[in-house]
Amino acid sequence: MFYHDDAVVHSPAALRKFLDPIEYLITVDNRAIWRRHLAWAFQDGGELRAHLVQRYSANMTIMSLMLSGALMVLFNSSRLTSEMRQCLYDLTYDDLKFWIGLVIVASIFLILFTLTANFTAWGIVSSISKSNSHCILRSSIGQYAAQLPSQLLVSAMYSFLIWIALWVFEMMPLSIAIPFTVVMASIFLHIVSVYSELGRLIIHTGAMGQKKIFNDAFEQALVSQRCPWMIPFFLSCINHLCSSVLV
């Protein structure tokens, strides 16, 4: 339960009315509204700077792993990847492997751009003094520069997911590839929507600030509701199937 103006929300599903449509595809913490709330919610400039730097360092780790994975696939010596590189060289547009290779190359460049932006933002933001963090990070260029690594990260991650999905269609028959991709996409969208809902809850309740949202007595009376049963049930089925195959 949380309060937003005069409305009282009693279930996690009700939070979805506060989501923009794009937030079913991109978590709210990768959008500009999140950066604006961060810049104005943190009263201590040092904490604001430390939060952004921590995010950049986490992005660097994720992007480094993704870059190594994409490069290994592109230059792997297996039959499929060798055929993919040959399709790229011969410009075989009617072969799916050509488009897989093209998306992988684009993904590598996007990951490199993301690493560059994160590394640069990390160095520049960490150089701002505690007393001047607010005035710099609340400016137009400060907001855009703080948001740019997140925008590039989203582009890199989606390109990464696209070429993985294309490989599924290349290696599996359509009767399996289509339902498999639909199921994986549903889980992905569920993850994004859940954390967008949580982010919106934090934004609309002012939970980034130092002031408590509710008093202690009201906090003790709060009772959380169970999350929708379908996704946890489905995930447990997958775990059971995987365990059966391994056995």
Side-chain angles (χ1 to χ4, degrees):
M1 174 188 292
F2 81 98
Y3 290 88
H4 175 69
D5 296 331
D6 296 326
V8 182
V9 178
H10 295 281
S11 66
L15 287 170
R16 293 172 189 162
K17 68 181 181 181
F18 297 114
L19 297 185
D20 290 338
I22 192 65
E23 289 168 9
Y24 288 96
L25 300 174
I26 301 172
T27 52
V28 70
D29 65 314
N30 286 308
R31 301 194 65 206
I33 187 174
W34 186 264
R35 292 286 182 263
R36 289 198 298 270
H37 276 79
L38 282 177
W40 271 266
F42 281 88
Q43 298 301 313
D44 185 272
E47 291 182 1
L48 173 61
R49 181 189 59 197
H51 177 85
L52 292 175
V53 169
Q54 183 183 22
R55 180 62 181 264
Y56 297 144
S57 63
N59 289 350
M60 290 285 292
T61 303
I62 296 171
M63 289 295 103
S64 299
L65 293 172
M66 288 174 59
L67 179 61
S68 62
L71 287 172
M72 283 191 292
V73 171
L74 181 62
F75 297 109
N76 195 281
S77 60
S78 67
R79 178 184 60 82
L80 282 175
T81 52
S82 298
E83 292 175 356
M84 176 190 70
R85 291 192 298 271
Q86 190 62 42
C87 288
L88 284 173
Y89 183 80
D90 296 336
L91 298 178
T92 313
Y93 303 115
D94 57 345
D95 195 319
L96 181 58
K97 288 189 284 293
F98 169 83
W99 299 104
I100 295 174
L102 189 64
V103 176
I104 291 176
V105 172
S107 176
I108 289 172
F109 276 101
L110 286 172
I111 294 171
L112 286 172
F113 297 153
T114 306
L115 285 169
T116 302
N118 274 276
F119 182 78
T120 306
W122 189 356
I124 290 179
V125 171
S126 62
S127 69
I128 305 172
S129 67
K130 175 181 177 180
S131 57
N132 292 315
S133 293
H134 285 119
C135 64
I136 296 298
L137 295 173
R138 288 176 180 176
S139 65
S140 298
I141 184 62
Q143 285 284 291
Y144 179 74
Q147 179 65 15
L148 182 59
S150 293
Q151 293 174 340
L152 290 171
L153 181 139
V154 170
S155 301
M157 292 192 72
Y158 264 100
S159 65
F160 196 88
L161 289 172
I162 288 171
W163 66 256
I164 291 177
L166 290 175
W167 272 125
V168 170
F169 282 89
E170 175 65 26
M171 295 185 295
M172 296 182 182
L174 285 178
S175 59
I176 297 177
I178 292 176
F180 179 82
T181 304
V182 169
V183 169
M184 293 300 107
S186 300
I187 296 174
F188 175 76
L189 294 177
H190 174 72
I191 294 170
V192 173
S193 63
V194 164
Y195 286 102
S196 289
E197 290 166 15
L198 178 60
R200 281 290 178 174
L201 175 63
I202 293 170
I203 288 173
H204 291 300
T205 56
M208 293 182 184
Q210 295 296 324
K211 186 178 179 181
K212 297 189 71 172
I213 303 170
F214 301 123
N215 57 41
D216 294 336
F218 190 80
E219 284 184 358
Q220 295 298 324
L222 289 175
V223 178
S224 62
Q225 298 186 11
R226 295 186 63 183
C227 62
W229 63 271
M230 294 181 65
I231 294 296
F233 174 75
F234 180 74
L235 292 177
S236 65
C237 290
I238 291 180
N239 290 331
H240 178 72
L241 289 174
C242 292
S243 301
S244 300
V245 170
L246 291 175
V247 172

